[in-house]
């Protein structure tokens, strides 16, 4: 009996001391890398899908923004129809290749940066693992938009030029860069940069703030952790409506400054550009020209963008989890 107890103790001690080998648990560094990669891929896809969906409306809006023509829904329809008749159906997507070259890195950086800024601000304010309070939520969105805009601005300039010029003038994206650099100087690639940054702070801040706030309110009131895809689209649409309305005048100024070289104008600063637009076209008709189209285009694009990002993130996490389980 005594021997039996002793043997049992020895066996227990052996099992206790025996080292436990890890079973393919990913390190913290690998998890963080995968998280960043997932955010970049999801953001890139979100931007590409959203912008392609509204490209004809976006091109039409830019053409009104950079001209002194009065905007109306009827005139916008006529412009789209004339473009279709004269240049063909696919001309409505002219400049979309330049948009993709810009929007894929822009959206990837913006969404990824937003996830990282949320984490940083969460640890700074003591909300790690929880939803941020309103002010840090706005700051995270603004910083994400600013980071993306700073890193991809010349591509936005090229896209605007391609949208408002005939295809004979610029044959492709590289041709735009070469001609602008040779004829107008490299500084031209950053013309309109200041209003872009001033506009992106309220736009990105309010967009991300509104979307995250609506998701949190939904979770608090419904008890569901995740909203359905139609609810995400609705939350994103509200975010786009609020964000774009707040920053729209600076968007008009940015487009005027970007296309000044090919439209026969010289705009040297934000204030002078605003003054000239107001003097020639009026406050509402000038600085808010095309806003009603943005109320259609913007909510659709932002709704698709946020929804695509969230659903892609969820899908990638599920795929990674299932691959880890299989191992």
């Amino acid at each position: 009996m005594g021997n039996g107890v002793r043997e049992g103790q020895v066996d227990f001690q052996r099992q206790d001391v025996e080292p436990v080998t890890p079973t393919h648990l990913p390190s913290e560094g690998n998890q963080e890398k995968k998280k960043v990669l997932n955010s970049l891929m999801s953001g890139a896809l979100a931007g590409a899908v959203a912008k392609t969906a509204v490209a004809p409306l976006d091109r039409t809006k830019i053409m009104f923004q950079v001209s002194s023509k009065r905007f109306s829904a009827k005139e916008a329809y006529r412009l789209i129809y004339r473009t279709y008749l004269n240049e063909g159906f696919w001309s409505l997507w002219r400049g979309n290749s330049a948009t993709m070259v810009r929007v894929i890195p822009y959206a990837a950086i913006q969404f990824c940066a937003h996830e990282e800024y949320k984490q940083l601000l969460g640890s700074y304010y003591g909300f790690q693992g929880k939803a941020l309070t309103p002010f840090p939520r706005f700051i995270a969105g603004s910083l994400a938009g600013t980071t993306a805009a700073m890193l991809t601005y010349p591509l936005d300039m090229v896209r605007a030029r391609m949208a408002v010029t005939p295809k004979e003038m610029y044959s492709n994206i590289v041709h735009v860069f070469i001609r602008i650099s040779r004829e107008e100087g490299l500084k031209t690639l950053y013309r309109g940069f200041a209003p872009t940054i001033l506009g992106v702070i309220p736009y990105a801040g309010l967009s991300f703030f509104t979307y995250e706030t609506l998701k949190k309110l939904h979770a608090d009131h419904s008890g569901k952790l995740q909203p359905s895809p139609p609810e995400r689209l609705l939350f994103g649409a509200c975010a786009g409506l609020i964000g774009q309305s707040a920053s729209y005048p600076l968007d008009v100024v940015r487009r005027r400054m970007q296309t000044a070289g090919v439209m026969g104008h010289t705009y040297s600063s934000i204030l002078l550009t605003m003054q000239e637009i107001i003097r020639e076209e009026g406050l509402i008709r000038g600085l808010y020209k095309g806003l009603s189209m943005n109320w259609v285009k913007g909510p659709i694009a932002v709704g698709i963008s946020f929804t695509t990002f969230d659903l892609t993130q969820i899908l990638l996490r599920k795929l990674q989890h299932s691959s880890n389980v299989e191992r």
Side-chain angles (χ1 to χ4, degrees):
M1 185 176 173
N3 288 340
V5 172
R6 236 187 333 267
E7 282 170 13
Q9 285 176 339
V10 170
D11 286 341
F12 177 78
Q13 285 170 354
R14 278 178 189 159
Q15 286 172 6
D16 195 39
V17 172
E18 198 173 291
V20 179
T21 55
T23 58
H24 295 291
L25 287 173
S27 67
E28 206 171 300
N30 283 342
Q31 282 183 323
E32 186 59 31
K33 281 178 188 174
K34 283 181 180 177
K35 185 185 160 193
V36 169
L37 189 60
N38 282 359
S39 296
L40 287 169
M41 288 170 63
S42 303
L45 182 62
V49 172
K51 278 295 183 182
T52 301
V54 297
L57 294 175
D58 211 20
R59 182 175 187 245
T60 304
K61 181 202 75 172
I62 292 172
M63 291 177 82
F64 273 102
Q65 282 183 329
V66 302
S67 74
S68 56
K69 289 179 184 175
R70 186 177 171 183
F71 176 84
S72 69
K74 187 185 282 187
E75 284 301 315
Y77 169 75
R78 281 179 181 166
L79 178 58
I80 291 171
Y81 187 62
R82 277 200 306 270
T83 305
Y84 162 70
L85 287 178
N86 297 333
E87 301 177 46
F89 178 73
W90 294 112
S91 68
L92 297 173
W93 274 265
R94 174 162 169 73
N96 195 50
S97 57
T99 301
M100 289 300 103
V101 170
R102 172 205 168 244
V103 86
I104 287 173
Y106 180 91
I109 293 165
Q110 180 176 239
F111 277 107
C112 182
H114 183 247
E115 294 298 306
E116 295 303 308
Y117 284 131
K118 276 201 302 184
Q119 195 172 315
L120 284 170
L121 290 167
S123 59
Y124 180 79
Y125 284 101
F127 300 115
Q128 197 67 40
K130 299 177 187 176
L132 294 172
T133 51
F135 181 67
R137 207 177 296 155
F138 175 82
I139 294 298
S142 295
L143 288 172
T146 304
T147 303
M150 288 175 70
L151 293 173
T152 61
Y153 185 76
L155 295 169
D156 186 48
M157 171 72 169
V158 168
R159 174 249 182 163
R161 284 290 180 95
M162 287 191 78
V164 301
T165 54
K167 56 186 176 184
E168 295 79 21
M169 187 165 185
Y170 298 118
S171 55
N172 54 48
I173 297 162
V174 177
H175 189 211
V176 184
F177 273 109
I178 292 169
R179 279 197 65 174
I180 290 175
S181 304
R182 188 187 298 150
E183 296 172 12
E184 301 172 58
L186 283 170
K187 281 173 66 178
T188 305
L189 291 172
Y190 281 89
R191 186 183 288 158
F193 180 70
T196 298
I197 295 300
L198 289 175
V200 88
I201 290 169
Y203 169 67
L206 285 169
S207 295
F208 279 105
F209 168 82
T210 304
Y211 185 68
E212 294 286 320
T213 300
L214 289 173
K215 281 206 302 183
K216 185 177 184 302
L217 289 171
H218 174 271
D220 292 344
H221 286 84
S222 69
K224 293 191 290 185
L225 288 175
Q226 296 292 342
S228 65
E231 287 169 336
R232 289 180 196 275
L233 279 169
L234 180 62
F235 298 162
C238 292
L241 190 66
I242 292 168
Q244 294 198 349
S245 297
S247 61
Y248 195 78
L250 286 162
D251 190 44
V252 173
V253 170
R254 168 175 66 125
R255 294 302 182 201
R256 291 293 178 96
M257 293 180 78
Q258 284 177 336
T259 58
V262 292
M263 300 300 287
H265 291 280
T266 52
Y267 298 120
S268 55
S269 70
I270 297 170
L271 286 175
L272 288 174
T273 305
M274 280 188 167
Q275 284 174 4
E276 189 169 329
I277 292 169
I278 292 167
R279 187 173 64 250
E280 291 180 1
E281 302 163 51
L283 177 64
I284 303 300
R285 288 179 182 173
L287 291 179
Y288 288 90
K289 181 188 290 182
L291 178 60
S292 56
M293 179 176 282
N294 241 37
W295 284 342
V296 175
K297 178 193 76 73
I300 293 170
V302 178
I304 291 171
S305 182
F306 277 124
T307 304
T308 305
F309 176 79
D310 279 355
L311 296 181
T312 308
Q313 282 275 80
I314 291 165
L315 176 64
L316 288 172
R317 284 186 199 129
K318 281 182 180 175
L319 290 172
Q320 284 181 358
H321 178 69
S322 61
S323 67
N324 288 336
V325 169
E326 282 172 12
R327 282 184 220 165

